[in-house]
Amino acid sequence: VHRRFRRVDVLVNNAGVFAGAPFAELSVTDFDRIVAANLRSAFLVTRAFLPGMRRRGRGDVFFMSSIAGLGAYPNGAAYCAAKAGVTALARVLRAETKGSGLRVCCVHPGATWSPSWEGSGFAPGRMMPAADVARAFLDVWRMSPRTVVEEITLRPAAGDL
């Protein structure tokens, strides 16, 4: 990425995976896989691009967390733990970069329609469109560099699933 684009001004940490299982039945392998995809990836990618942003004294770092990063629910031990970690990681980075010209925002969407929900039994119309979540990122990015939106929570209009 550095070779091709020379610099990165906006980073969106949006990698993730979900697999539900009761806590007592969750394998260590699945726990590690979910934490690696959701949390470790955000740490590694941010670490790769942070030095350049700091040198330039500007940049936007977005973290895609989830409402699962704000509260727990059954069958979501690994996912909730990983997303809570993403939320904490974003808060730490924000605390460490205040006043440096970097803006750090953590987004906590509720159920958002994507192909991963196919076969779940939930109707797409019951969830938020992915375009609305993407729009939130864009709207935050368009704000003045003197303003930082630290966190956003988005939920389906009819409430959580």
Side-chain angles (χ1 to χ4, degrees), residues 64-99:
M64 180 70 85
S65 185
S66 166
I67 58 166
L70 300 173
Y73 54 81
N75 300 319
Y79 188 74
C80 291
K83 290 302 188 179
V86 168
T87 299
L89 191 66
R91 289 174 179 170
V92 167
L93 186 63
R94 170 70 180 133
E96 291 182 0
T97 59
K98 279 183 185 175

Side-chain angles (χ1 to χ4, degrees), residues 45-133:
V45 173
T46 302
R47 210 170 136 189
F49 295 109
L50 185 62
M53 290 179 172
R54 279 189 152 155
R55 275 192 305 278
R56 288 188 305 281
R58 60 181 281 218
D60 289 89
V61 181
F62 289 92
F63 290 88
M64 180 70 85
S65 185
S66 166
I67 58 166
L70 300 173
Y73 54 81
N75 300 319
Y79 188 74
C80 291
K83 290 302 188 179
V86 168
T87 299
L89 191 66
R91 289 174 179 170
V92 167
L93 186 63
R94 170 70 180 133
E96 291 182 0
T97 59
K98 279 183 185 175
S100 70
L102 273 70
R103 298 187 302 179
V104 179
C105 180
C106 189
V107 181
H108 306 277
T112 305
W113 177 253
S114 71
S116 66
W117 284 93
E118 287 178 4
S120 69
F122 291 102
R126 178 64 175 78
M127 298 178 214
M128 298 181 296
D132 286 355
V133 177

Side-chain angles (χ1 to χ4, degrees), residues 12-18 34-42 45 62-65 79 82-83 86:
V12 178
N13 289 295
N14 189 33
V17 66
F18 173 84
I34 292 166
V35 169
N38 290 281
L39 177 57
R40 189 169 192 268
S41 65
V45 173
F62 289 92
F63 290 88
M64 180 70 85
S65 185
Y79 188 74
K83 290 302 188 179
V86 168

